[in-house]
Amino acid sequence: MIAFQWHKLHPDAATLPNHPSEAPGQLGDDGHKAQGGLSSQQILHSIWAPKVRSKPASRQQQVLRQQEKRIQQSCHVQQRSHKKKHSHITCAAATAELATEKATVKIGTRGSPLALAQAYMTRDFLKAAFPELAQEGALDIVIIKTTGDKVLNQPLADIGGKGLFTKEIDDALLGGDIDIAVHSMKDVPTYLPKGMILPCNLEREDVRDAFICPTASSLAELPAGAVIGSASLRRQVQILHKYPQLEVVNFRGNVQSRLRKLNEKVVDATLLAYAGLKRLDMADKLTAILDTEDMLPAVAQGAIGIACREGDSDTQKLLASLNHEDTRIAIQCERAFLGTLDGSCRTPIAGLAQKNDMGGLTFRGLVASPDGKNVYTISREGSWTEQDAIAVGVEAGKELKQQAGDEFFDWARQNVY
């Protein structure tokens, strides 16, 4: 006979209403109800009966479902072994063993080496902050292929749309297939899908761009007609504005493939984010680091953002411990600037917010025509608070709109859709 102590099975058992048959009863080896009790199947069904839900199951609900299956398996093992002395275990004991288990936290990411490095970094930070997540199986990395990963033979501007490297990951998050999404913040559109929040930014890496060339030590040393490979319109316009004698061609792929093409002399030089090279332990490949005065970085360059579902309080608590507030404030400013300009993949835009020596905020922004002939810049200062940072970004965006004129942005929008 198996002593089935049902009241220990469910974390909310103490709050369940009394029932005439709630007293622990005895279950026969055939699983049927003995006098004065409930069968194991009835008890399991009453506690874990599936319910129709409009939202993805929470991690606690996923755990309960996994536990139900394992408890049933444990009971079957006991029934097969009940003739062996001291070999039996009770369902109550099996339940107690499983009661402290945690659901696997699934981390969604792209599959490029850099994206995986950022996902592993997030995983390691979670393990360090929460010892229970250091246990085997507590964290799982889920690779998701995005539109930007699938289409490599066209410039990003020609593919069109927003969220080329994020949409499929965000869909998986909202569908409950993953619990958190790890993004390079410069890939994240200024709007977020309904039901998703982005409460966490990891500490920002170096924001500067790296120049890589086997024959010259700087852009200025390249001869007229030299070809630079870059998929970034932002980099293209800043290069052509200062060095109109150079040529810039579309140059897509992950860091490793771009460096391989450079070695194969497909192009004479290329530019990559210094942060990415550092995260891949490939900083030794660079030729020079470009000062932000010479090459203003992309909005949110060097920052990692971690998203979760709205209302998922358990995950939000995990991410709160990883958030770097100074990074988050800077990113809020830059994204407010980008959102005000309504920038698209065909609009070369750069922006950088930093804490200055006085503890305040300094912002610099840039927008340009794709040929690099017309470049508009702005600088603003404010206090280092989220509210003021957003206000500075919005004001800077509005002023640049006035400088460039409505016709400039009308052209950009017409060439996106």
Side-chain angles (χ1 to χ4, degrees), residues 57-118:
S58 67
R59 294 206 303 279
Q60 183 180 17
Q61 291 163 348
Q62 294 171 15
V63 170
L64 291 177
R65 292 172 187 173
Q66 294 168 3
Q67 289 178 348
E68 176 185 359
K69 293 179 181 179
R70 293 182 60 179
I71 291 170
Q72 290 174 326
Q73 292 171 357
S74 297
C75 292
H76 291 322
V77 169
Q78 188 279 329
Q79 290 171 1
R80 291 194 301 268
S81 307
H82 75 281
K83 294 181 181 180
K84 296 180 182 180
K85 187 177 181 180
H86 305 305
S87 66
H88 73 283
I89 60 173
T90 67
C91 290
T95 303
E97 180 181 349
L98 299 173
T100 58
E101 289 190 355
K102 302 288 185 182
T104 299
V105 177
K106 296 181 180 180
I107 304 170
T109 178
R110 294 170 57 206
S112 72
L114 178 56
L116 286 172
Q118 295 176 167

Side-chain angles (χ1 to χ4, degrees), residues 146-148 156-171 186-193 335 338-347 349 412-413 416-417:
T146 67
T147 301
L156 291 174
D158 290 347
I159 301 174
K162 299 180 181 179
L164 293 173
F165 294 104
T166 60
K167 184 181 183 301
E168 288 81 359
I169 299 175
D170 294 341
D171 288 345
K186 65 183 180 64
D187 294 333
V188 179
T190 52
Y191 66 90
L192 296 177
R335 283 168 61 80
L338 181 62
T340 302
L341 291 174
D342 192 24
S344 74
C345 54
R346 288 184 181 271
T347 312
I349 296 174
R413 284 190 286 269
V416 172
Y417 304 106

Side-chain angles (χ1 to χ4, degrees), residues 6 69-70 81 103 107 130 185 222 253 280 283 362:
W6 74 273
K69 293 179 181 179
R70 293 182 60 179
S81 307
I107 304 170
F130 301 94
M185 280 302 300
L222 287 171
L280 289 169
T362 298

Side-chain angles (χ1 to χ4, degrees), residues 308-346:
C308 66
R309 287 182 293 275
E310 188 177 14
D312 186 352
S313 58
D314 290 342
T315 302
Q316 290 177 39
K317 289 176 183 177
L318 297 180
L319 299 184
S321 68
L322 304 188
N323 181 58
H324 187 260
E325 189 62 10
D326 279 354
T327 296
R328 196 182 70 83
I329 289 174
I331 299 306
Q332 290 278 65
C333 178
E334 295 170 20
R335 283 168 61 80
F337 169 72
L338 181 62
T340 302
L341 291 174
D342 192 24
S344 74
C345 54
R346 288 184 181 271

Side-chain angles (χ1 to χ4, degrees), residues 73-322:
Q73 292 171 357
S74 297
C75 292
H76 291 322
V77 169
Q78 188 279 329
Q79 290 171 1
R80 291 194 301 268
S81 307
H82 75 281
K83 294 181 181 180
K84 296 180 182 180
K85 187 177 181 180
H86 305 305
S87 66
H88 73 283
I89 60 173
T90 67
C91 290
T95 303
E97 180 181 349
L98 299 173
T100 58
E101 289 190 355
K102 302 288 185 182
T104 299
V105 177
K106 296 181 180 180
I107 304 170
T109 178
R110 294 170 57 206
S112 72
L114 178 56
L116 286 172
Q118 295 176 167
Y120 291 141
M121 182 190 307
T122 302
R123 179 200 62 185
D124 293 344
F125 285 154
L126 285 169
K127 284 183 176 182
F130 301 94
E132 65 271 21
L133 295 181
Q135 297 177 10
E136 184 177 357
L139 295 169
D140 184 28
I141 291 178
V142 180
I143 297 175
I144 300 169
K145 205 162 191 176
T146 67
T147 301
D149 298 313
K150 297 172 186 175
V151 184
L152 296 176
N153 60 348
Q154 299 179 54
L156 291 174
D158 290 347
I159 301 174
K162 299 180 181 179
L164 293 173
F165 294 104
T166 60
K167 184 181 183 301
E168 288 81 359
I169 299 175
D170 294 341
D171 288 345
L173 176 64
L174 293 174
D177 297 321
I178 58 176
D179 298 300
I180 64 176
V182 179
H183 292 307
S184 292
M185 280 302 300
K186 65 183 180 64
D187 294 333
V188 179
T190 52
Y191 66 90
L192 296 177
K194 185 178 180 180
M196 171 180 151
I197 59 173
L198 211 161
C200 175
N201 287 122
L202 301 184
E203 185 173 5
R204 198 174 197 173
E205 248 296 355
D206 197 306
V207 301
R208 294 174 293 174
D209 284 305
F211 173 72
I212 306 173
C213 179
T215 60
S217 60
S218 68
L219 285 166
E221 288 187 9
L222 287 171
V227 178
I228 301 173
S230 176
S232 165
L233 283 178
R234 171 191 62 86
R235 293 181 180 126
Q236 174 181 313
V237 300
Q238 293 186 79
I239 292 171
L240 294 178
H241 184 67
K242 293 183 178 180
Y243 308 100
Q245 74 277 14
L246 302 178
E247 181 183 357
V248 184
V249 298
N250 183 53
F251 199 57
R252 293 199 53 209
N254 61 39
V255 172
Q256 289 80 355
S257 66
R258 295 188 206 188
L259 292 178
R260 185 187 70 250
K261 292 177 184 177
L262 179 63
N263 291 332
E264 294 171 354
K265 299 183 179 180
V266 175
V267 295
D268 297 307
T270 190
L271 271 66
L272 295 171
Y274 183 32
L277 291 173
K278 290 181 72 174
R279 287 171 180 150
L280 289 169
D281 292 326
M282 298 178 68
D284 60 317
K285 304 295 183 183
L286 66 84
T287 303
I289 301 173
L290 304 182
D291 191 89
T292 59
E293 295 292 338
D294 298 320
M295 180 65 64
L296 197 61
V299 164
Q301 181 160 308
I304 296 172
I306 309 178
C308 66
R309 287 182 293 275
E310 188 177 14
D312 186 352
S313 58
D314 290 342
T315 302
Q316 290 177 39
K317 289 176 183 177
L318 297 180
L319 299 184
S321 68
L322 304 188

